[in-house]
Amino acid sequence: MGRVAKKKTTQKAPPLDKLLKPAAGVALAMLGYYFMKGMSAEIPRIDVNDSLALREVFFGEGASGKDFAVLCHPEAKDGSVGLPVSSVFQDSHDDGSAPVEYAIIDCDHVLPDSGKTIYEKFKLNKKKRPTIFVSGKVGPPKQVPEKHLKTGAMLTKLLKQMLEPHAAKIEKTKELKEKCLNKDVCGLLLKGGKPEPFVKHAMANLLGKYPSVQFASVDSTLLFLTNLEEYLPEYVAGEHRFVVFKKVSGGLAEADGRLKTSIIPLEDSLTFNSMNSLVSNALNGKQVKKIPALPNIKTRTRKLEEAERQKRDRKKDQARRKAQDDQKPPPQTFSANDGSKEGRRLERERRRAEHNAQNNVKPKTPEEIAEIENKRRERMEEEAAKWKIEGEDEAEEGTPFEEEDTGDEEFEDIDDEEEDDDEDVLDLD
């Protein structure tokens, strides 16, 4: 059987009146968009003759304490309309999410104090268009790089990065000293991987709660902090660690002296409450521990990890020996002296140690002991020389010693006369 040919169906175009309504709607929407864009809020212009306003914009003086994003834009003269405002600056202003006040100023104005234009005073490159700078509380005018001026969204993103509080990213030892260790208090997050949302929220809350505290982060999967790792929980991939530094003294300048710092490591799990408690203790000077050397950043290697593991083992051995010493009975005292030779020796050592401790007596070295012994022998020889008998007074060897007869004493025999008298008395009877 042969195939039956299908009938071709042709579709007719819709009536023109049905296309007019959608086209009219699109046209009205586009007109409304451009109308609203033209109705954007007007950006205020700074009066160049108001010195107080200029100082507030340039240096953040005054009670407002605001940050400014300022566009260099010439003033219209002779009643002319003037140049249009940069669309990049206008779009960023209309977005409104950046924490900054937008303003326009005539940078060709000559400042009366210096006789220089605003371009010359703050070294702004007039050739880079649009010429936008950031100033106010953040510091003197600083020109926005040209690479961030392609769209309004890019400008807004830069302003947020410059002005919103955020944790500094640290990759080198120099950055660690400048951005963290040299600050009064600094909280450092050692990331063990990609931070979870709760970690980001915790850091954001800390940044908002402690504006005077510097916060920073280090990628521990790639970097190793010598002189610090042994005080923290051991590194485990995927687990984050947190430590707070509190500056003790010194600084980075030579006149400040050696920079010294102390730490409070986080031993508990990483939560906002535990991190908040740690920062609060550091601000109040509680539980801080001085470290003998400043941390240095190096690339993480197995050799460094092994060295750090050995340090941990040595610290554990020291703690174990100290615990054993604390459990030993106290040394024997005088009351425990039983009169034996060993007991008397222990008592002498105890008293000697007490005497040395009370009088700050340091034990003598073998050289000092030998010097004292030599001086003692010299004194003995000198004393012996003083008592040595002269040669003429010495008796000859073998000659007996005889007493001299002075002849001064006379002895009389009285006993014989007394006996004669007794005999005469007896005869009379």
Side-chain angles (χ1 to χ4, degrees):
M1 295 179 61
R3 294 183 179 179
V4 179
K6 294 183 179 179
K7 294 182 180 180
K8 294 182 180 181
T9 58
T10 57
Q11 296 180 353
K12 295 182 180 181
L16 185 61
D17 57 348
K18 291 185 178 181
L19 294 176
L20 290 176
K21 291 182 178 179
V26 172
L28 289 174
M30 293 179 66
L31 288 174
Y33 168 76
Y34 285 109
F35 177 77
M36 294 300 296
K37 188 174 181 180
M39 293 291 292
S40 298
E42 185 179 357
I43 302 174
R45 178 177 288 275
I46 303 299
D47 184 3
V48 292
N49 297 316
D50 188 348
S51 60
L52 295 178
L54 290 178
R55 297 194 66 85
E56 181 182 5
V57 172
F58 292 153
F59 307 109
E61 297 182 1
S64 63
K66 297 178 181 179
D67 293 315
F68 292 88
V70 185
L71 171 68
C72 290
H73 187 268
E75 262 187 281
K77 297 180 181 179
D78 301 331
S80 60
V81 178
L83 298 175
V85 175
S86 167
S87 60
V88 173
F89 193 75
Q90 185 69 56
D91 291 345
S92 179
H93 169 266
D94 295 342
D95 180 89
S97 60
V100 70
E101 293 288 330
Y102 292 84
I104 297 174
I105 194 171
D106 184 5
C107 294
D108 288 316
H109 174 72
V110 178
L111 299 172
D113 296 338
S114 61
K116 298 180 180 179
T117 64
I118 296 175
Y119 285 114
E120 297 169 344
K121 174 69 175 178
F122 300 107
K123 299 179 181 179
L124 303 175
N125 192 343
K126 189 175 182 180
K127 296 180 180 180
K128 293 183 179 180
R129 299 284 185 173
T131 306
I132 301 173
F133 63 84
V134 180
S135 62
K137 185 179 65 174
V138 72
K142 183 178 180 182
Q143 187 169 356
V144 176
E146 199 172 12
K147 64 181 181 180
H148 299 287
L149 299 176
K150 296 180 180 179
T151 63
M154 294 179 68
L155 176 59
T156 301
K157 182 179 179 180
L158 176 67
L159 294 175
K160 288 182 178 180
Q161 292 177 353
M162 292 178 64
L163 303 176
E164 285 184 347
H166 62 279
K169 185 178 180 181
I170 295 177
E171 296 179 343
K172 299 180 181 179
T173 302
K174 183 179 180 181
E175 295 176 346
L176 177 65
K177 292 180 180 179
E178 292 177 350
K179 298 180 181 180
C180 190
L181 301 182
N182 199 36
K183 306 296 182 181
D184 291 335
V185 178
C186 174
L188 181 65
L189 176 67
L190 291 87
K191 299 182 291 185
K194 185 178 180 180
E196 294 80 4
F198 78 90
V199 177
K200 295 180 180 179
H201 293 160
M203 289 294 292
N205 292 335
L206 290 173
L207 287 165
K209 186 173 182 180
Y210 300 101
S212 62
V213 176
Q214 175 68 56
F215 290 92
S217 64
V218 172
D219 188 358
S220 291
T221 61
L222 302 175
L223 303 175
F224 186 93
L225 277 79
T226 59
N227 305 325
L228 179 65
E229 294 277 352
E230 60 264 28
Y231 301 104
L232 306 178
E234 192 168 359
Y235 167 76
V236 178
E239 294 185 4
H240 313 294
R241 296 170 294 171
F242 187 71
V243 61
V244 179
F245 294 93
K246 183 174 177 61
K247 184 177 176 181
V248 176
S249 62
L252 298 180
E254 293 183 2
D256 298 335
R258 179 190 170 195
L259 179 60
K260 298 179 181 178
T261 188
S262 56
I263 62 170
I264 310 180
L266 180 63
E267 303 290 347
D268 303 330
S269 58
L270 190 71
T271 62
F272 170 75
N273 291 333
S274 60
M275 298 164 72
N276 176 56
S277 176
L278 218 64
V279 176
S280 177
N281 289 339
L283 290 172
N284 296 324
K286 297 180 180 178
Q287 300 178 356
V288 293
K289 178 182 179 181
K290 293 182 181 179
I291 54 177
L294 295 180
N296 293 318
I297 295 181
K298 296 184 178 180
T299 304
R300 179 173 290 275
T301 61
R302 293 183 180 179
K303 184 177 180 180
L304 290 175
E305 291 179 345
E306 181 62 26
E308 182 255 338
R309 194 173 295 110
Q310 292 177 1
K311 284 185 179 180
R312 290 180 185 274
D313 294 340
R314 285 196 296 269
K315 288 181 66 176
K316 290 179 181 178
D317 291 341
Q318 292 175 0
R320 184 174 63 254
R321 287 196 296 269
K322 184 178 179 181
Q324 292 175 354
D325 294 340
D326 294 341
Q327 292 176 359
K328 289 181 179 179
Q332 295 181 358
T333 60
F334 180 75
S335 60
N337 187 5
D338 56 357
S340 64
K341 182 178 180 180
E342 183 66 18
R344 293 194 301 272
R345 184 183 67 79
L346 293 175
E347 182 61 23
R348 287 195 302 272
E349 292 179 355
R350 184 189 68 80
R351 292 189 177 186
R352 186 180 296 110
E354 288 182 356
H355 172 78
N356 294 343
Q358 292 174 0
N359 297 278
N360 195 22
V361 178
K362 297 180 180 179
K364 293 181 173 58
T365 62
E367 292 79 8
E368 293 176 339
I369 295 174
E371 183 66 21
I372 293 172
E373 181 64 20
N374 292 336
K375 291 182 179 179
R376 186 185 69 82
R377 290 180 181 277
E378 291 176 1
R379 288 197 302 272
M380 290 179 63
E381 291 176 359
E382 291 175 359
E383 294 296 328
K386 291 179 182 178
W387 289 91
K388 187 176 182 180
I389 302 174
E390 298 296 335
E392 60 185 9
D393 295 336
E394 292 181 358
E396 294 182 3
E397 186 176 355
T399 305
F401 178 77
E402 296 182 358
E403 295 182 358
E404 295 182 356
D405 186 7
T406 59
D408 296 336
E409 297 181 359
E410 294 183 358
F411 298 95
E412 296 181 356
D413 190 5
I414 300 176
D415 294 338
D416 293 343
E417 295 180 357
E418 290 178 354
E419 290 177 357
D420 293 342
D421 292 339
D422 292 340
E423 290 176 358
D424 293 340
V425 175
L426 291 173
D427 290 342
L428 291 176
D429 292 339

